[in-house]
């Protein structure tokens, strides 16, 4: 029999819980759950808890690839013998939206291309990614960042909601293996299914308020040319420096490390944990000098890294338009509005309003 990967199948919605149960034999099942009014990725025991119609989770699924706190190794202070007990497990992350798949793709570029991180590589090898289609809300701008659809990312299966069924696109041999092992849950595609699938793309695009989306054309040049703009100071006046924006971001990867001794001081553990460029201590160096002492310096740095640094480093924007930073910011700072101010769009809109009022009078 010739090796063959099917392009897609249809999964009736009445079979979705059986499908989720079937995924457990491929690894620990992780999927979105609801807590009060928020959603979050968590290990799933009861598949009835899985949420399918969520907009975004508080934290992206990257926390299961790069934990926010991880022990790198431990060592004996007397003998300097090192010990590492890193034991990755097989895992299946279900329900990942397109923006987060692009976020993982960016992390792959960071961690695997030049000097591969062996731990990240091992975790990625053991992780199955299953995407799920979505609809935007007022914070989403993935259409502007080119991340509204999963094209250009690595995933195993992607489920698109087409009404009574899911159109399941197969993106890897592992995805094909899953479908084959659970083949009794699937059926073949009909012309009607394909029509509905194509319509879903158009429907998602139409779900965006195009006038509110940011123009990201040549955004790297705009950010660089506006490096001394007064916009940075204006926007940073509201910033609390809490780091929420970077902690919820699917692509931020900055971390620091501390050595933590045990109670008798003979054994020390090297602990790495996620940090933020928005924290004052992040730019602190020996001698007590702060490279970025002001809120505005740190605020600007984040935009500069996302829209200038990332394209230079990996030829991709460091923002996937998920809207988490704006949705979770306690100061209600909007990354979209900041970009519009840097472009001068806000002034153009105000000028247009004045002209219209003058014409009306």
């Amino acid at each position: 029999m010739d090796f063959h990967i099917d392009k897609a199948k249809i999964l009736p919605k009445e079979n979705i819980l059986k499908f989720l149960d079937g995924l457990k034999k491929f690894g620990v099942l992780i999927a979105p759950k609801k807590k009060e009014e928020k959603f979050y990725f968590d290990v799933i025991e009861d598949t009835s808890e899985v949420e399918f119609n969520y907009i975004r989770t508080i934290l992206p699924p990257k926390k299961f690839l790069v934990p926010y706190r991880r022990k790198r190794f431990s060592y004996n202070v007397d003998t300097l013998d090192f010990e590492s007990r890193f034991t990755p497990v097989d895992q299946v992350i279900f329900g990942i939206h397109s923006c987060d798949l692009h976020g993982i793709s960016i992390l792959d570029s960071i961690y695997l291309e030049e000097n591969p991180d062996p731990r990240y590589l091992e975790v990625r090898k053991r992780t199955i990614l299953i995407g799920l289609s979505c609809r935007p809300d007022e914070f989403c701008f993935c259409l502007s960042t080119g991340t509204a659809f999963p094209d250009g990312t690595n995933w195993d299966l992607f489920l698109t909601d087409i009404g009574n069924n899911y159109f399941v696109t197969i993106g890897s041999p592992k995805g094909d293996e899953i479908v084959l092992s659970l083949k009794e849950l699937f059926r073949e595609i009909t012309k009607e299914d394909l029509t509905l699938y194509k319509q879903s793309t158009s429907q998602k695009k139409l779900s965006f308020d195009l006038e509110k989306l940011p123009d990201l054309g040549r955004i790297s040049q705009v950010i660089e040319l506006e490096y001394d703009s007064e916009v940075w100071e204006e926007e940073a006046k509201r910033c609390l420096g809490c780091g929420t924006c970077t902690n919820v971001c699917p692509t931020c990867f900055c971390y620091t490390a501390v050595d933590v001794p045990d109670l008798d001081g003979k054994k020390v553990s090297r602990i790495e944990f996620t940090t933020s460029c928005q924290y004052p201590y992040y730019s602190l160096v020996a001698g007590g000098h702060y490279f970025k002492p002001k809120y505005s310096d740190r605020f600007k740095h984040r935009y500069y890294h996302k829209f200038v640094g990332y394209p230079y480093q990996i030829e991709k924007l460091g923002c996937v338009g998920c809207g988490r930073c704006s949705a979770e910011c306690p100061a209600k700072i909007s990354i979209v509005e900041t970009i519009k101010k840097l472009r001068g769009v806000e002034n153009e809109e105000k000028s247009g309003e004045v002209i219209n009022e003058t014409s009306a009078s």
Side-chain angles (χ1 to χ4, degrees), residues 24-78:
K24 291 181 179 180
K25 67 182 179 181
F26 292 92
V28 175
L29 178 61
I30 297 159
K33 293 169 63 174
K34 187 175 184 180
K35 185 175 183 180
E36 297 179 354
E37 297 304 314
K38 299 285 187 176
F39 299 92
Y40 65 104
F41 279 98
D42 196 16
V43 174
I44 300 295
E45 298 295 338
D46 182 0
T47 54
S48 66
E49 294 181 325
V50 175
E51 291 286 341
F52 301 94
N53 297 314
Y54 76 99
I55 299 295
R56 67 178 58 78
T57 53
I58 301 172
L59 297 178
K62 80 172 183 183
K63 68 179 182 177
F64 292 98
L65 302 175
V66 187
Y68 280 65
R69 185 180 185 277
R70 59 262 187 191
K71 181 177 177 181
R72 177 63 72 167
F73 56 77
S74 60
Y75 61 91
N76 184 294
V77 296
D78 295 323

Side-chain angles (χ1 to χ4, degrees), residues 12-292:
K13 284 189 175 179
E14 61 263 27
N15 293 340
I16 188 63
L17 295 185
K18 292 179 182 178
F19 172 71
L20 292 175
D21 281 322
L23 291 176
K24 291 181 179 180
K25 67 182 179 181
F26 292 92
V28 175
L29 178 61
I30 297 159
K33 293 169 63 174
K34 187 175 184 180
K35 185 175 183 180
E36 297 179 354
E37 297 304 314
K38 299 285 187 176
F39 299 92
Y40 65 104
F41 279 98
D42 196 16
V43 174
I44 300 295
E45 298 295 338
D46 182 0
T47 54
S48 66
E49 294 181 325
V50 175
E51 291 286 341
F52 301 94
N53 297 314
Y54 76 99
I55 299 295
R56 67 178 58 78
T57 53
I58 301 172
L59 297 178
K62 80 172 183 183
K63 68 179 182 177
F64 292 98
L65 302 175
V66 187
Y68 280 65
R69 185 180 185 277
R70 59 262 187 191
K71 181 177 177 181
R72 177 63 72 167
F73 56 77
S74 60
Y75 61 91
N76 184 294
V77 296
D78 295 323
T79 64
L80 294 183
D81 290 331
F82 283 74
E83 180 183 28
S84 177
R85 294 183 178 179
F86 175 62
T87 52
V89 298
D90 293 332
Q91 58 183 5
V92 181
I93 307 180
F94 172 86
I96 309 173
H97 289 170
S98 294
C99 56
D100 282 335
L101 285 173
H102 280 274
I104 292 172
S105 177
I106 289 171
L107 292 178
D108 288 350
S109 298
I110 297 296
Y111 283 104
L112 299 179
E113 286 192 358
E114 288 190 15
N115 299 299
D117 183 314
R119 289 197 173 194
Y120 183 86
L121 177 60
E122 190 63 29
V123 171
R124 282 293 281 115
K125 285 180 178 178
R126 291 173 170 265
T127 301
I128 293 172
L129 303 178
I130 300 181
L132 181 66
S133 64
C134 60
R135 287 286 182 267
D137 67 1
E138 69 273 20
F139 296 108
C140 298
F141 60 101
C142 52
L143 198 63
S144 293
T145 55
T147 56
F149 302 99
D151 310 76
T153 67
N154 296 317
W155 41 271
D156 299 287
L157 294 173
F158 193 91
L159 278 62
T160 301
D161 189 336
I162 58 170
N164 295 323
N165 306 294
Y166 287 108
F167 192 100
V168 183
T169 315
I170 301 170
S172 74
K174 178 59 72 174
D176 191 61
E177 180 185 342
I178 292 172
V179 171
L180 186 62
S181 70
L182 302 172
K183 60 183 179 181
E184 70 278 2
L185 303 179
F186 296 86
R187 65 168 174 80
E188 297 299 324
I189 302 166
T190 65
K191 287 186 177 181
E192 181 183 0
D193 296 324
L194 185 56
T195 298
L196 291 171
Y197 173 68
K198 291 186 288 186
Q199 287 175 351
S200 71
T201 300
S202 300
Q203 289 170 355
K204 181 169 184 176
K205 289 181 179 179
L206 294 173
S207 299
F208 289 90
D209 187 339
L210 299 182
E211 291 185 358
K212 292 185 178 180
L213 293 179
D215 177 6
L216 297 182
R218 306 204 75 183
I219 188 62
S220 298
Q221 287 77 13
V222 171
I223 296 290
E224 287 197 281
L225 291 170
E226 292 287 355
Y227 191 81
D228 296 320
S229 172
E230 60 187 19
V231 169
W232 303 117
E233 291 285 349
E234 293 173 3
E235 292 290 278
K237 287 178 181 177
R238 293 185 288 150
C239 181
L240 304 175
C242 64
T244 296
C245 54
T246 59
N247 282 310
V248 301
C249 180
T251 66
C252 281
F253 58 91
C254 292
Y255 71 93
T256 190
V258 294
D259 283 0
V260 181
D262 61 9
L263 291 178
D264 63 11
K266 292 185 177 180
K267 188 177 181 180
V268 176
S269 297
R270 174 68 53 83
I271 306 297
E272 297 175 351
F273 58 91
T274 297
T275 187
S276 171
C277 60
Q278 301 304 292
Y279 298 154
Y281 73 78
Y282 188 76
S283 65
L284 175 65
V285 296
H289 177 72
Y290 286 95
F291 276 98
K292 300 186 185 302

